[in-house]
Amino acid sequence: MQRAEAAGVEVVEYTDPLCPWAWGSEPVFRELRAALAGRVRWRRAYCVLFDDDDDPPPDPAAETAWYARYIEDVVAHTGAPRARRLSRVAASSWPSSLAAKAAERQGGEVAERVVRRLRESVFVLGEPADTVALALSAVRGVPGLDHERLASDVASTTVREAVLADRAEARQPVAEVLSVRGGSPHPGAAKETAEGGYRYALPTLLVRSPAGLRVVPGWRPYEEYAAAFEELSPGLLTVPARPAPSEALARYRSLTGPEAAVLSDGPWPPRDAVRVETGNGPLWLHPDEAAVHPARDLGTPATP
């Protein structure tokens, strides 16, 4: 297998744990990561979608109702679950971004599962992880996670500076995304900022290699990402065999319907899957995940 340093390919995912388009892109990104496993360096740069200095809404209830409708519009395109009820618009992305960045210090697998839980806090539970306490609570029980260390790292200057660097990087978009055309409902043209500059739309994937750079912004099908990798490094992508449903659920621990369709092969759901109802379809949890997940009180075993 070609090693990441030999391929010389870096993937930068500009994202936010609380972004609905990023949540809807999880099936494609999970499929991509499986096809690229061990052959690229993939890192996340946290944009901080909801910033600390944003003005509070004059009418929080009206703002929440508007944003809930916006999420409904997004998931109508992506097929991702949404919460039955959204308690509020996130006050800040900083706590979840800090938790996600701090989790990287404990390894890639732990970081993946932490980001997943943070996304599920808003799009499954309807309670965005927008305080440090809520972010730490949302990820409690993640396998392999040293929760005490995470709490310490979240409060550290080092992790905060890393997120600040991500935020700054996300506000220096490449020229290719300043004007974007395409048939996607979210084509991903860069967004204007309050400071008069631009930031990447979320999510945006930037692919760098010795052969050049490609950028795939917004919500896109798998084929557009695959084409970018093929142009820069032919043959880099593999097509791994899809595992049986029970194996896929054991690997990922949490799967939506769209994810199960592209990440597993066979009748869905597995017999031991735990079904969590959302506002537009189920989230499926491995029983071990269901035992420690914040949604555990909402889950029911799948019908054999």
Side-chain angles (χ1 to χ4, degrees):
M1 179 178 290
Q2 190 178 20
R3 295 176 60 84
E5 55 267 30
V9 177
E10 180 190 42
V11 182
V12 186
E13 177 190 346
Y14 295 98
T15 191
D16 186 290
L18 308 183
C19 172
W21 285 109
W23 167 239
S25 297
E26 280 289 274
V28 168
F29 285 1
R30 281 182 155 185
E31 189 177 8
L32 272 175
R33 285 192 289 268
L36 292 164
R39 291 178 296 281
V40 302
R41 177 177 178 248
W42 186 306
R43 67 179 174 90
R44 288 192 174 103
Y46 294 101
C47 177
V48 187
L49 183 60
F50 302 99
D51 219 333
D52 284 345
D53 58 2
D54 291 345
D55 293 332
D59 186 340
E63 183 80 357
T64 299
W66 174 86
Y67 195 64
R69 291 192 297 271
Y70 172 70
I71 291 175
E72 287 187 35
D73 289 343
V74 172
V75 302
H77 294 292
T78 67
R82 60 169 175 82
R84 288 177 167 179
R85 176 184 175 275
L86 181 67
S87 67
R88 64 191 178 282
V89 179
S92 173
S93 291
W94 273 99
S96 58
S97 299
L98 290 167
K101 185 61 68 175
E104 294 175 2
R105 299 160 74 91
Q106 299 190 40
E109 188 170 337
V110 167
E112 288 293 328
R113 290 174 172 173
V114 163
V115 172
R116 180 66 176 210
R117 287 278 197 91
L118 294 167
R119 296 197 196 283
E120 290 169 347
S121 74
V122 59
F123 300 114
V124 175
L125 300 174
E127 294 287 342
D130 58 358
T131 70
V132 169
L134 288 172
L136 293 175
S137 177
V139 303
R140 192 173 296 279
V142 164
L145 177 67
D146 183 332
H147 200 267
E148 185 175 337
R149 178 185 174 188
L150 183 74
S152 176
D153 287 342
V154 163
S156 71
T157 300
T158 301
V159 168
R160 186 170 187 84
E161 287 178 347
V163 176
L164 277 169
D166 283 355
R167 182 187 180 280
E169 180 182 343
R171 282 156 178 78
Q172 297 176 331
V174 295
E176 288 87 340
V177 299
L178 296 180
S179 177
V180 176
R181 298 178 182 177
S184 169
H186 178 50
K191 304 290 186 181
E192 290 191 46
T193 65
E195 298 82 11
Y198 289 90
R199 67 162 174 83
Y200 285 107
L202 305 181
T204 290
L205 220 61
L206 191 72
V207 186
R208 292 191 184 96
S209 84
L213 177 148
R214 296 291 184 276
V215 60
V216 188
W219 186 65
R220 303 282 173 165
Y222 179 90
E223 290 73 19
E224 289 196 33
Y225 296 101
F229 284 102
E230 185 64 20
E231 289 173 8
L232 291 179
S233 185
L236 182 65
L237 278 172
T238 64
V239 183
R242 293 180 182 176
S246 59
E247 295 172 359
L249 193 58
R251 173 181 174 183
Y252 291 103
R253 295 181 66 92
S254 167
L255 287 169
T256 65
E259 289 172 329
V262 299
L263 296 172
S264 69
D265 183 21
W268 188 268
R271 294 174 64 90
D272 61 350
V274 176
R275 179 185 179 115
V276 175
E277 295 297 345
T278 72
N280 64 327
L283 174 76
W284 300 97
L285 300 178
H286 187 273
D288 292 345
E289 179 71 5
V292 295
H293 196 284
R296 56 186 172 272
D297 294 334
L298 306 175
T300 57
T303 301

